[in-house]
């Protein structure tokens, strides 16, 4: 249980968040995000995703209780980035409680062996070949711990509900629809590539069945009333935010369906196949999945230019596409120059995450290249996968500043 001392401390943190939320700059950022996502942006938006280096910026947690530490961590994760680097994330007067939803695809327990760093892992495939093993695919198992979710919500409301608005959110859908990732987890990447050439019919059967299961997962969430609108200060895609007046749409009657929300698809695992193979084995199933959502963010770390012209550009309701450090920037800048899809640039994390020192001149030159290429389109800069800061927190603020200076220039 949360002690009285913990409660007093958590309430002080909540008050700090509320103070930040009331600053005029937050309303200005909201205004800019709504315009940006409607393709009417006044400037590029900048996001520094702190999750991978959070342990370097968090002070030692003061709470001892499990509930207290969970609340403390979220409050600090909201407050500290604004204090450290002032990107375009919006601090609101909300405290988010995640619904405890999970699924076991095809009722198969995945076997992953993680490296000591907790990031890299090895997959122990459930099967190596599709022939003779498709019968192993049972109905997927979906779970929702409603009691624990509502208990956590009640605890948050009791501690800080008179300061912040406690809101249930569903984050499982942010990453759940990366279809090829599920295939890799089932059979390994090399086996997946081989199956496309040696077991073509079976691979199409597997992909079709996978899409059916994921659509079933969406329908199940709708029946459970755990799909929530994500058209405000909500995370979606690989690092961006969802502010939108286009969703949920004119047909919304209070019941949230998948067509009323943003969705995210990526196929990082497709990097090993040709555009022709993507078109044949991947694109038809991603198209079916894309049809389920109101607006779509596509991509993560994959070089999307390989599959852009023939397939990705044709996904319905596509609003943002991830331009990773491995993308051909010149190609994608030309394709997105019309401004109908947002160029969601992921600067290389190497400038901030490899050394303690920050080579400002090299970084400025790097950002200037993107800014000059994209001056005719719509752009956002999303910093991700910065795993180590080596104690130099100042470079976060400086990086955000440089992006703003170069894009303004």
């Amino acid at each position: 249980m949360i002690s009285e001392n913990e409660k007093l401390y958590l309430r002080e943190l909540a008050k700090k968040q509320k103070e930040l939320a009331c600053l005029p700059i937050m309303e200005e950022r909201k205004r800019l995000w709504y315009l940006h996502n409607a393709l009417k942006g006044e400037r590029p938006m900048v996001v520094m995703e702190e999750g991978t280096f959070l342990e370097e910026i968090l002070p030692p947690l003061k709470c001892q209780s499990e509930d207290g530490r969970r609340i403390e961590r979220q409050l600090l994760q909201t407050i500290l980035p604004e204090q450290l680097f002032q990107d375009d994330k919006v601090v609101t007067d909300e405290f988010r409680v995640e619904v405890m939803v999970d699924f076991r695809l095809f009722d198969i327990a995945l076997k992953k062996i993680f490296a000591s760093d907790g990031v890299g892992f090895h997959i122990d495939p459930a099967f190596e070949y599709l022939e003779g093993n498709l019968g192993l695919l049972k109905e997927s198992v979906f779970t929702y711990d409603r009691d624990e979710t509502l208990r956590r919500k009640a605890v948050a409301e009791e501690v800080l509900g008179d300061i912040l608005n406690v809101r249930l959110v569903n984050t499982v859908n942010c990453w759940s629809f990366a279809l090829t990732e599920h295939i890799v987890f089932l059979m390994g990447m090399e086996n997946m590539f081989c199956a496309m050439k040696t077991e073509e019919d079976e691979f199409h059967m597997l992909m079709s069945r996978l899409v059916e299961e994921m659509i079933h997962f969406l329908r199940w969430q709708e029946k459970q009333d755990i799909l929530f609108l994500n058209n405000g200060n909500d995370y979606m895609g690989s690092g961006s935010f969802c502010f939108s007046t286009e969703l949920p749409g004119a047909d919304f009657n209070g019941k949230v369906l998948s067509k009323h929300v943003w969705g995210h698809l990526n196929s990082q695992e497709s990097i090993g196949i040709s555009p022709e193979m993507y078109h044949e084995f991947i694109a038809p199933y991603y198209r079916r999945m894309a049809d389920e959502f109101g607006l779509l963010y596509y991509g993560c770390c994959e070089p999307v230019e390989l599959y852009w012209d023939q397939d990705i550009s044709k996904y319905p309701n596509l609003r943002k596409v991830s331009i990773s450090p491995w993308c051909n920037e010149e190609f994608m800048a030309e394709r997105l120059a019309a401004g109908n899809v947002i160029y969601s640039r992921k600067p290389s994390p190497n400038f901030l995450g490899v050394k303690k020192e920050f080579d400002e001149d090299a970084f400025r030159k790097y950002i200037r290249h993107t800014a000059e290429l994209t001056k005719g389109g719509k752009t956002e800069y999303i910093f991700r996968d910065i795993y180590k800061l080596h104690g130099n927190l100042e470079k976060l603020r400086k990086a955000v500043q440089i992006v703003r200076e170069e894009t303004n220039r």
Side-chain angles (χ1 to χ4, degrees), residues 115-248:
S116 59
D117 62 6
V119 179
F121 58 87
H122 166 74
I123 297 168
D124 188 3
F127 46 79
E128 297 183 11
Y129 305 99
L130 298 179
E131 186 176 0
N133 286 312
L134 291 179
L136 298 175
L137 307 182
K138 305 175 184 177
E139 289 187 3
S140 299
V141 177
F142 311 134
T143 58
Y144 169 37
D145 193 337
R146 185 184 301 272
D147 291 343
E148 177 61 12
T149 297
L150 296 181
R151 187 197 71 80
R152 293 185 180 189
K153 181 173 184 285
V155 169
E157 288 173 335
E158 194 276 328
V159 173
L160 46 78
D162 60 328
I163 305 172
L164 301 175
N165 298 312
V166 179
R167 178 166 75 102
L168 290 179
V169 296
N170 184 337
T171 60
V172 72
N173 296 322
C174 292
W175 295 97
S176 293
F177 300 97
L179 303 180
T180 49
E181 180 181 59
H182 291 305
I183 302 299
V184 168
F185 286 168
L186 282 173
M187 61 187 307
M189 184 176 289
E190 184 173 332
N191 295 327
M192 178 184 76
F193 289 158
C194 291
M196 292 182 193
K197 293 301 293 180
T198 63
E199 301 178 286
E200 296 183 14
D201 291 342
E202 289 84 356
F203 190 84
H204 280 294
M205 292 171 61
L206 175 61
M207 289 295 292
S208 181
R209 177 73 189 281
L210 172 58
V211 173
E212 291 172 2
E213 291 297 295
M214 299 314 297
I215 293 176
H216 184 200
F217 185 41
L218 287 172
R219 299 290 87 80
W220 177 84
Q221 291 181 74
E222 292 169 356
K223 291 179 181 178
Q224 297 290 326
D225 289 324
I226 52 175
L227 267 189
F228 307 114
L229 295 181
N230 60 359
N231 57 348
N233 190 35
D234 299 279
Y235 179 100
M236 181 53 69
S238 51
S240 195
F241 288 87
C242 297
F243 297 92
S244 175
T245 57
E246 298 170 65
L247 296 177

Side-chain angles (χ1 to χ4, degrees), residues 9 29 31 70 213 269 284 286 302 304 339 342 359 406:
Y9 165 63
R29 288 177 190 169
R31 184 186 73 83
R70 181 169 53 251
E213 291 297 295
E269 300 74 23
Y286 273 72
E302 66 268 44
V304 293
I342 293 170
D359 189 337
E406 288 303 317

Side-chain angles (χ1 to χ4, degrees), residues 349-404:
N350 291 350
F351 289 97
L352 298 174
V354 175
K355 299 179 180 180
K356 181 176 182 178
E357 297 76 18
F358 180 35
D359 189 337
E360 295 183 23
D361 292 337
F363 181 73
R364 186 179 294 276
K365 182 179 180 181
Y366 176 80
I367 294 298
R368 182 174 296 177
H369 178 69
T370 298
E372 290 175 345
L373 284 174
T374 59
K375 59 186 177 182
K378 303 300 181 185
T379 314
E380 60 187 25
Y381 291 79
I382 312 292
F383 289 84
R384 302 193 74 235
D385 300 323
I386 303 166
Y387 286 91
K388 295 291 290 183
L389 299 173
H390 307 282
N392 183 359
L393 306 188
E394 172 62 18
K395 58 186 174 182
L396 300 172
R397 184 195 62 79
K398 191 64 179 178
V400 172
Q401 178 184 334
I402 289 173
V403 172
R404 288 190 174 135

Side-chain angles (χ1 to χ4, degrees), residues 192-352:
M192 178 184 76
F193 289 158
C194 291
M196 292 182 193
K197 293 301 293 180
T198 63
E199 301 178 286
E200 296 183 14
D201 291 342
E202 289 84 356
F203 190 84
H204 280 294
M205 292 171 61
L206 175 61
M207 289 295 292
S208 181
R209 177 73 189 281
L210 172 58
V211 173
E212 291 172 2
E213 291 297 295
M214 299 314 297
I215 293 176
H216 184 200
F217 185 41
L218 287 172
R219 299 290 87 80
W220 177 84
Q221 291 181 74
E222 292 169 356
K223 291 179 181 178
Q224 297 290 326
D225 289 324
I226 52 175
L227 267 189
F228 307 114
L229 295 181
N230 60 359
N231 57 348
N233 190 35
D234 299 279
Y235 179 100
M236 181 53 69
S238 51
S240 195
F241 288 87
C242 297
F243 297 92
S244 175
T245 57
E246 298 170 65
L247 296 177
D251 65 342
F252 180 63
N253 62 5
K255 174 71 172 178
V256 181
L257 307 176
S258 67
K259 66 179 179 178
H260 299 137
V261 303
W262 282 82
H264 172 215
L265 304 178
N266 73 71
S267 184
Q268 299 177 87
E269 300 74 23
S270 292
I271 189 172
I273 63 175
S274 66
E276 292 74 24
M277 290 185 72
Y278 181 95
H279 180 69
E280 178 180 355
F281 293 102
I282 307 300
Y285 308 101
Y286 273 72
R287 174 62 190 252
R288 283 171 56 189
M289 204 71 247
D291 286 338
E292 290 294 316
F293 300 107
L295 289 173
L296 182 67
Y297 184 114
Y298 186 94
C300 190
C301 291
E302 66 268 44
V304 293
E305 75 275 1
L306 297 174
Y307 317 116
W308 176 257
D309 286 344
Q310 193 171 16
D311 291 302
I312 297 174
S313 63
K314 297 178 174 59
Y315 292 149
N317 303 320
L318 179 65
R319 183 58 51 89
K320 301 186 181 189
V321 62
S322 177
I323 310 300
S324 77
W326 297 277
C327 276
N328 182 324
E329 279 210 87
E330 287 74 12
F331 179 97
M332 290 306 300
E334 179 182 350
R335 293 301 192 272
L336 301 184
N340 297 323
V341 176
I342 293 170
Y343 189 103
S344 189
R345 177 59 170 163
K346 309 295 172 54
S348 171
N350 291 350
F351 289 97
L352 298 174

